[in-house]
C-alpha cells in the first residue's frame, strides 16, 4: 500500500504492542501517521514505541487495560490532546487459550469476553468523541471463530461473533457522523501469539496450513495492507463490512476434510 499515504493523520491502536496489531501500527507509522498504542504491559509498550519511533514520526504509548473503560478513555483523551482528532482507530486487544467449555471456569470464559468484546465496546465508546467527524475509520480485529463454530474456543467464538455485531450496529449508528466501522478477520497469521497458542506443534501448523486454499499462512503485513486500504479514501463507501484476509480459509469453514477422501 505504498501509494496510500497517511501523513499527519492520527492513528490509535488498542492492543498495538505486538503481533498483528503492532504490524498495523508499523504500517501506518511508515506511511507518515502519528501513532499511539495501548496495551497492559508497560515493557511491551515501551519496546513497541521504540521500534515505531524509528520510522521517524511521533509515537505515544500507554499502559492501559481495555477492560478498564477509564484507563482507555484517558489514553484516547491524551492522544487527542497531543495530536487532535483521531483519523484511524484499531481495536485489536484479545486473549485466547484452548480449553473445552467444561475445562473453563466462569472467570475463564468471562476474561476472554471482557477483553475481546467488552474491551472493543469500551475502546469504541470512549473514542467516539475524539474521532474526526466526518472521515474517521474504525477497524475491529475479528477472527474466523466469529463465524466458524470451533471446539475448545467457546469463549473466543462468542466474543468475536459479538464484535462483528458491534461492527455492524455501530456502522449504522455512526454512519451519519461520517464515521466508518469495519472489521478484518485474519486467517492464520505466521509467527504470532495466536498461532503459538492454537497450533503449538509443527504437526498442528502443517494441518492448519493444509486447510488454507492459498497453501500458506498469512503475514502481519498482509493484514496491515487491508487496514490501510479500509482506512483510505479508496474505501470511503465501505462500512459495516467484516473482511476475511485469510487465503481463502473461510470458504471451507477452516476445516480440512481431505482425510475423508480415502474412505
Ligand atoms: P498478540 O500478539 O498476543 O496481540 C494481542 C495484543 O493485545 C497484545 O499487544 C497484548 O498486549 C494486547 N492485550 C491483551 N489483553 C489486553 C488487555 N486486556 N488490554 C489491552 N491490551 C491487551 O496476538 P495476535 O495473534 O497478534 O492477535 C492480535 C489480534 O488478531 C487479536 O485480536 C486476535 O484475536 C486476532 N487474530 C489473530 C490471528 C492469528 O493468526 N494470530 C487470527 C485471527 C485473529 P499486553 O499483553 O501488553 O496487554
Ligand atoms: N484453560 C482454562 N482456563 C484458563 C486457561 C486455560 N488454558 N488459561 C487461563 N484460564 C483461566 C484462569 O484459570 C482464570 O480463571 P480462574 O480465576 O477461575 O482460575 C481466568 O482464565 C483468567 O486468567 P488470568 O491469567 O487471571 O487472566 P489475565 O487477565 O491475566 O490473562 C488471558 C488473560 C488468560 C487471556 C491470557 O492468556 C492473556 O493475557 N492473553 C493475551 C495474549 C493472547 O492471548 N494472545 C493471543 C490473541 S489471539
Amino acid at each position: 500500500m505504498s501509494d496510500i499515504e497517511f501523513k499527519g493523520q492520527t492513528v490509535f491502536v488498542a492492543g498495538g504492542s505486538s503481533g498483528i496489531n503492532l504490524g498495523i501500527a508499523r504500517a501506518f507509522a511508515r506511511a507518515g501517521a502519528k501513532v499511539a498504542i495501548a496495551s497492559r504491559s508497560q515493557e511491551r509498550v515501551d519496546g513497541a514505541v521504540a521500534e515505531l519511533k524509528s520510522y521517524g514520526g511521533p509515537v505515544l504509548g500507554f499502559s492501559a487495560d481495555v477492560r478498564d473503560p477509564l484507563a482507555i478513555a484517558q489514553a484516547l483523551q491524551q492522544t487527542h490532546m497531543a495530536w487532535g482528532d483521531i483519523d484511524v482507530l484499531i481495536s485489536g486487544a484479545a486473549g485466547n487459550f484452548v480449553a473445552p467449555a467444561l475445562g473453563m471456569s466462569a472467570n475463564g470464559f468471562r476474561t476472554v469476553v471482557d477483553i475481546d468484546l467488552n474491551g472493543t465496546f469500551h475502546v469504541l465508546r470512549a473514542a467516539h468523541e475524539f474521532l474526526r467527524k466526518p472521515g474517521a475509520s474504525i477497524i475491529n480485529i475479528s477472527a474466523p471463530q466469529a463465524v466458524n463454530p470451533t471446539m475448545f474456543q467457546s469463549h473466543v467464538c462468542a466474543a468475536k461473533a459479538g464484535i462483528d455485531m458491534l461492527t455492524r450496529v455501530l456502522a449504522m449508528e455512526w454512519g451519519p457522523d461520517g464515521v466508518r466501522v469495519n472489521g478484518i478477520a485474519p486467517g492464520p497469521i505466521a509467527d504470532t501469539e495466536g498461532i503459538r497458542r492454537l497450533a503449538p506443534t509443527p504437526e498442528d501448523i502443517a494441518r492448519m496450513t493444509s486447510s488454507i486454499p492459498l497453501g500458506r499462512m498469512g503475514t502481519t503485513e498482509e493484514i496491515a495492507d487491508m487496514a490501510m486500504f479500509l482506512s483510505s479514501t479508496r474505501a470511503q463507501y465501505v462500512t459495516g463490512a467484516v473482511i476475511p484476509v485469510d487465503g481463502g480459509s473461510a470458504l471451507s469453514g477452516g476445516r480440512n476434510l481431505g482425510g475423508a477422501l480415502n474412505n
Side-chain angles (χ1 to χ4, degrees):
M1 288 285 137
S2 55
D3 58 332
I4 296 182
E5 281 220 353
F6 292 89
K7 216 171 254 334
Q9 291 200 14
T10 297
V11 176
F12 187 101
V13 185
S17 66
S18 63
I20 289 173
N21 305 320
L22 176 56
I24 294 173
R26 185 182 291 132
F28 279 105
R30 283 180 166 154
K34 297 176 277 198
V35 176
I37 61 166
S39 85
R40 294 167 303 176
S41 156
Q42 185 70 59
E43 199 184 337
R44 242 194 295 276
V45 168
D46 290 345
V49 165
E51 189 216 310
L52 293 170
K53 278 189 174 161
S54 73
Y55 303 118
V59 180
L60 287 172
F62 302 95
S63 167
D65 191 320
V66 294
R67 290 170 286 189
D68 178 349
L70 193 60
I72 279 299
Q74 281 170 350
L76 287 156
Q77 185 181 35
Q78 284 179 41
T79 303
H80 186 256
M81 274 164 52
W83 300 332
D85 289 351
I86 294 172
D87 297 283
V88 177
L89 175 72
I90 311 288
S91 176
N96 196 355
F97 53 81
V98 177
L102 293 179
M104 209 183 282
S105 67
N107 191 41
F109 186 87
R110 181 169 50 236
T111 295
V112 168
V113 172
D114 266 352
I115 300 171
D116 294 27
L117 177 57
N118 297 343
T120 296
F121 180 78
H122 297 152
V123 170
L124 269 61
R125 175 71 184 82
H128 184 267
E129 71 173 294
F130 304 122
L131 295 174
R132 187 173 305 289
K133 297 186 269 301
S137 159
I138 298 176
I139 296 171
N140 295 325
I141 305 302
S142 183
Q145 289 93 322
V147 289
N148 299 330
T150 308
M151 287 167 69
F152 316 129
Q153 290 279 274
S154 57
H155 47 355
V156 175
C157 288
K160 293 289 189 180
I163 289 174
D164 284 2
M165 269 301 169
L166 270 184
T167 297
R168 297 182 184 110
V169 172
L170 296 187
M172 294 173 77
E173 292 191 9
W174 295 354
D177 297 333
V179 172
R180 297 182 298 110
V181 189
N182 291 294
I184 295 175
I189 303 302
D191 300 322
T192 59
E193 184 58 28
I195 287 304
R196 278 188 280 281
R197 288 174 185 232
L198 297 184
T201 68
E203 294 73 33
D204 294 329
I205 289 181
R207 198 176 319 113
M208 195 174 262
T209 304
S210 73
S211 71
I212 304 172
L214 288 184
R216 64 172 177 84
M217 290 200 186
T219 65
T220 56
E221 288 82 4
E222 286 165 333
I223 303 304
D225 278 346
M226 180 55 77
M228 297 184 92
F229 168 71
L230 281 174
S231 300
S232 76
T233 51
R234 312 271 178 91
Q236 62 194 356
Y237 201 52
V238 181
T239 196
V242 181
I243 302 185
V245 180
D246 66 355
S249 313
L251 300 173
S252 61
R255 294 183 196 93
N256 177 10
L257 301 180
L261 287 174
N262 300 326
N263 294 332

